[in-house]
Amino acid sequence: MGEGGEPQKAVLLTVDDDPSVSRAVARDLRRRYGREFRVVRAGSGGEGLEVLRELKLRGQRVAAVLADYRMPEMSGIEFLEAAMDLFPRARRALLTAYADTDAAIAAINVVDVDHYLLKPWDPPEEKLYPVVDAMLEAYRETPDTPAAETKVIGNRWSVPSFEVRDFLARNAVPYRWFTDDEPEAARLLKAAGVDTDELPIVITSAGATLVAPSAAELADAVGLSTTPATDFYDLVVVGGGPAGLGAAVYGASEGLRTLLVERRATGGQAGQSSRIENYLGFPDGVSGAQLTDRARRQAVKFGTEIITSCDVVGLRAEGPARVITFGDGREVAAHTVIIATGVSYRELEAPGVAELTGRGVFYGSAMTEAADCADEDVYLVGGANSAGQAAVYFARHAPSVTLVVRGESLEASMSHYLIEQLRGLDNVRVRLRTRVAGAFGDQGLERLCLADAEGRSEEVSAGHLFVFIGARPHTDWLEGVLQRDEHGFVRTGPDLLTEGRRPSGWRPDRDPWLLESSLPGVFVAGDVRSESVKRVASAVGEGAMAVTLVHRYLGAS
């Protein structure tokens, strides 16, 4: 994009090894077309191809290419043929002397050159501009589509390709997806100088090429922050779901130097929800991505520093400081910490599921897959709100959606409004007392084995399976540091008292506050907390309440 968000001008490229001719062509082109097009010149065929490759990687458009016929190392015909591979819709003209007219006419037939221009062409109004006008008129009828956003080239059934797309989508980074068998993908790979053995390939809007990048490399390349600005804060929030974002908004807005650390993408499970309709203040519903984006922007507005692709692996006390350790060995300290790492879906244990994860089997909504569901039967496993919301969403894309539920009914675990919505959708079916007993497919998911409570089973055709079962907290890194319950959820407040006795090693002359963990100054909010209410509104509320307790703790320290 240009200044002010305007699309960048399409390029007119002129290639000539004679500097005086090159300058004259560029001068005449700018005089007539400079307001609408950007005129670029190159001194050789090799230099011209480098210019075209860079333009291709940056997602810019080329309207027309004018190349001199006689150039050393690479003739104009050879150059235009190579240029056509990168920008097939750009119009092409050969600049030639009178003696080379026959060669120019042959080039029109051999390499699809649109026009030839005799040098010199004075006056340009009679001999240059009419030809270029015709070329640009033809270009305007079928122009290149600008693609200045990040581009991802991969294979549909590649797990790393899915992970890259999912990471970008969940971090609200615009991107364009190309499968490796598309002609445009081949042109981009040629411009980048890589082949299909190295997928996925990510080409940033600035033209940088990444080959099978890690999450941290990808985050850095697309402008997401991965490194804390300093080594000490008033508050470090671990986890960027609703509870963590709520804590960050309230912490930063109340003057605390706040750092939010997220392992993958802000929003958590709620951020993957296609539509949340029971959240206060949104009578028409709001998607998890929209709610997450608003909360993230609000947190940043108040001064929260957000870093992503940072895996937290340790927590310890050093005097009054609480020290967080990252997976790469870096550390950051703070007066207080709020743990809001949420939960993840439990893995579905059935033959074939693990092998097909990311290749037709997905955990959570994975809304990047919606476009591929247009002609496929979709199956979802789970009976809670997240599964119901996903079923409603995918019903708009897929011919049929089947909800596979182990329980006797939906009423025990799903909100009434969602049950009523599902009943009103003709292409949604609910199979109760049923489980997935197996998944099968070569490149990707093709079939599922479903078994009912009586032991009967059947195989069904399925292109996508989305899993929404159980809730597993991200707390292994807190083993031996904080007290957890038998399921791994962190105990807080009164839940830490045993027959009125405070936790072992507890030093303050008071009981733990409501959301405080067994380590003073470390608070817990949202789904990761033992006995919490698993709802978005309650998570946001706990994040705000935890900040109130942080202030109380800092005031008492």
Side-chain angles (χ1 to χ4, degrees):
M1 302 294 284
E3 293 183 6
E6 292 296 322
Q8 289 186 340
K9 297 177 180 178
V11 169
L12 302 181
L13 175 64
T14 172
V15 183
D16 199 306
D17 63 314
D18 185 329
S20 61
V21 174
S22 178
R23 287 192 296 270
V25 176
R27 178 201 63 211
D28 290 342
L29 291 176
R30 288 193 182 100
R31 184 179 299 162
R32 185 176 180 96
Y33 307 105
R35 289 189 177 183
E36 184 180 355
F37 297 92
R38 182 160 68 98
V39 178
V40 178
R41 61 190 180 99
S44 68
E47 183 183 332
L49 287 179
E50 284 300 312
V51 170
L52 289 177
R53 291 190 187 102
E54 183 175 348
L55 293 172
K56 188 70 179 179
L57 295 178
R58 290 178 178 271
Q60 297 181 23
R61 298 165 296 153
V62 175
V65 181
L66 294 81
D68 183 38
Y69 173 62
R70 290 187 178 275
M71 293 188 293
E73 298 180 3
M74 179 183 292
S75 72
I77 295 175
E78 292 170 326
F79 169 76
L80 291 175
E81 189 171 17
M84 188 166 57
D85 291 338
L86 293 170
F87 289 93
R89 293 181 179 176
R91 313 322 296 178
R92 295 166 294 280
L94 199 63
L95 307 179
T96 181
Y98 182 80
D100 297 319
T101 303
D102 290 342
I105 294 173
I108 293 176
N109 298 320
V110 175
V111 296
D112 199 25
V113 172
D114 298 291
H115 295 276
Y116 70 91
L117 284 162
L118 290 176
K119 300 187 295 183
W121 49 75
D122 287 334
E125 289 77 11
E126 294 181 12
K127 298 182 179 181
L128 174 65
Y129 296 152
V131 171
V132 177
D133 285 345
M135 292 169 64
L136 295 180
E137 183 178 351
Y139 169 77
R140 291 187 185 99
E141 292 177 357
T142 57
D144 271 341
T145 301
E149 68 267 83
T150 296
K151 294 169 279 291
V152 181
I153 306 165
N155 186 283
R156 178 187 173 186
W157 301 117
S158 161
V159 175
S161 295
F162 164 73
E163 290 174 344
V164 165
R165 294 167 60 201
D166 188 59
F167 179 88
L168 293 174
R170 293 183 61 185
N171 281 286
V173 178
Y175 73 93
R176 181 169 294 184
W177 163 246
F178 300 92
T179 57
D180 56 350
D181 57 355
E182 293 183 56
E184 182 65 8
R187 288 189 279 270
L188 288 167
L189 291 172
K190 183 175 182 179
V194 294
D195 57 43
T196 55
D197 294 334
E198 302 174 289
L199 299 178
I201 303 297
V202 177
I203 301 171
T204 70
S205 57
T209 301
L210 288 76
V211 179
S214 66
E217 292 170 337
L218 187 56
D220 282 332
V222 298
L224 299 174
S225 179
T226 59
T227 303
T230 185
D231 58 3
F232 198 92
Y233 295 83
D234 295 320
L235 170 63
V236 170
V237 181
V238 183
L245 287 167
V249 167
Y250 282 94
S253 68
E254 293 173 12
L256 299 176
R257 291 171 299 166
T258 302
L259 173 69
L260 175 64
V261 182
E262 171 53 46
R263 182 178 60 170
R264 186 163 180 79
T266 52
Q269 281 192 10
Q272 295 179 279
S273 176
S274 56
R275 194 151 210 81
I276 302 170
E277 296 193 61
N278 58 353
Y279 188 71
L280 186 67
F282 292 90
D284 298 321
V286 61
S287 74
Q290 290 173 321
L291 189 62
T292 295
D293 180 62
R294 292 180 181 187
R296 179 173 50 222
R297 287 189 285 112
Q298 193 173 16
V300 171
K301 165 192 168 184
F302 286 122
T304 299
E305 181 185 337
I306 299 178
I307 61 173
T308 191
S309 296
C310 293
D311 200 13
V312 176
V313 298
L315 168 67
R316 71 178 187 275
E318 281 192 2
R322 302 292 177 259
V323 181
I324 291 291
T325 303
F326 299 119
D328 60 4
R330 293 177 299 164
E331 293 186 336
V332 66
H335 291 301
T336 58
V337 171
I338 295 176
I339 296 172
T341 48
V343 295
S344 62
Y345 295 112
R346 182 165 51 84
E347 293 181 1
L348 179 63
E349 295 180 1
V353 169
E355 292 80 3
L356 291 169
T357 298
R359 298 191 293 126
V361 176
F362 305 95
Y363 288 85
S365 292
M367 286 183 282
T368 54
E369 294 296 305
D372 292 327
C373 296
D375 301 312
E376 297 181 348
D377 297 319
V378 171
Y379 283 75
L380 300 96
V381 180
N385 279 5
S386 53
Q389 291 161 351
V392 172
Y393 173 75
F394 283 110
R396 300 199 296 266
H397 299 271
S400 74
V401 175
T402 302
L403 200 57
V404 180
V405 184
R406 275 182 176 266
E408 301 283 340
S409 71
L410 291 176
E411 280 75 10
S413 55
M414 189 178 292
S415 295
H416 176 73
Y417 80 92
L418 269 176
I419 296 174
E420 291 301 309
Q421 284 188 24
L422 293 175
R423 287 173 177 163
L425 296 173
D426 294 335
N427 62 334
V428 174
R429 179 187 179 193
V430 180
R431 295 187 58 156
L432 300 171
R433 304 175 72 232
T434 305
R435 62 184 177 86
V436 173
F440 311 95
D442 294 326
Q443 281 191 312
L445 178 67
E446 298 172 2
R447 305 181 314 282
L448 292 173
C449 177
L450 303 181
D452 63 21
E454 283 72 39
R456 296 185 296 265
S457 64
E458 66 169 312
E459 281 198 9
V460 296
S461 174
H464 285 79
L465 173 68
F466 300 94
V467 181
F468 303 84
I469 57 172
R472 182 174 60 85
H474 301 296
T475 60
D476 292 346
W477 60 285
L478 296 170
E479 175 70 34
V481 180
L482 303 183
Q483 284 193 22
R484 302 179 297 161
D485 65 19
E486 63 273 18
H487 302 294
F489 295 90
V490 182
R491 298 183 187 274
T492 59
D495 197 27
L496 292 167
L497 303 178
T498 305
E499 296 181 352
R501 295 193 304 272
R502 295 166 182 167
S504 175
W506 183 264
R507 292 187 178 183
D509 187 20
R510 58 173 176 80
D511 290 345
W513 291 319
L514 183 61
L515 301 181
E516 194 169 21
S517 72
S518 56
L519 178 60
V522 175
F523 301 87
V524 187
D527 291 0
V528 72
R529 190 176 67 83
S530 181
E531 302 298 328
S532 66
V533 178
K534 304 300 189 284
R535 288 289 185 270
V536 175
S538 62
V540 173
E542 286 192 7
M545 185 189 301
V547 172
T548 299
L549 297 177
V550 163
H551 282 293
R552 186 187 299 179
Y553 176 84
L554 293 174
S557 300

